[in-house]
């Protein structure tokens, strides 16, 4: 069970970053429930999920991916991480080129959080 402390509502299907200690393993998950601030709900931390993707990113099948907290989308692994990003949290299930706005990602491991 996850308690939403984000200050805003998390909608079912939203990406949730669990934890966040600089350079340490941080799990990325997908909300299974809609949760108002302070409410609790379930978050999946494994499986294949369709996630938003940075439109300009070119990602190959099998490539590890990063979570880019701003704009809140998957980025390729050449992306330079910044504050709130998580590097290497999953693997692209299929290729997704420039102009594609979603990607299927296997969330199968924690990534490295960037607290910059």
């Amino acid at each position: 069970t996850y308690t939403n402390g984000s200050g805003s509502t998390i909608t079912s299907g939203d990406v949730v970053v669990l934890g966040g200690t600089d350079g340490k393993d941080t799990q990325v998950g997908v909300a299974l429930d809609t949760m108002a601030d302070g409410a609790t709900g379930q978050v999946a931390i494994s499986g294949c999920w369709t996630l938003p993707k940075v439109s300009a990113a070119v990602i190959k099948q099998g490539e590890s991916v990063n979570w880019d907290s701003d704009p809140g989308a998957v980025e390729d692994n050449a992306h330079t991480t910044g504050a709130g990003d998580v590097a290497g949290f999953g693997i692209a299930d299929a290729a997704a080129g420039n102009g594609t706005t979603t990607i299927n990602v296997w969330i199968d491991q924690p990534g490295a959080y960037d607290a910059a």
Side-chain angles (χ1 to χ4, degrees):
T1 301
Y2 173 77
T3 301
N4 176 13
S6 70
S8 60
T9 298
I10 294 173
T11 302
S12 178
D14 285 354
V15 170
V16 178
V17 176
L18 306 167
T21 303
D22 196 29
K24 302 295 182 184
D25 288 345
T26 298
Q27 192 66 56
V28 172
V30 176
L32 299 178
D33 301 310
T34 295
M35 296 168 268
D37 187 40
T40 60
Q42 299 299 310
V43 175
I45 57 171
S46 65
C48 189
W49 298 91
T50 301
L51 303 178
K53 178 188 137 314
V54 172
S55 178
V58 176
I59 301 173
K60 297 177 184 173
Q61 183 177 23
E63 180 180 333
S64 67
V65 293
N66 296 347
W67 178 252
D68 188 346
S69 63
D70 183 20
V74 173
E75 179 65 91
D76 63 57
N77 62 21
H79 159 254
T80 301
T81 61
D85 295 352
V86 182
F89 77 92
I91 304 294
D93 185 53
N98 187 0
T100 305
T101 58
T102 61
I103 186 169
N104 291 338
V105 174
W106 278 100
I107 298 175
D108 63 345
Q109 62 196 13
Y113 184 80
D114 188 340

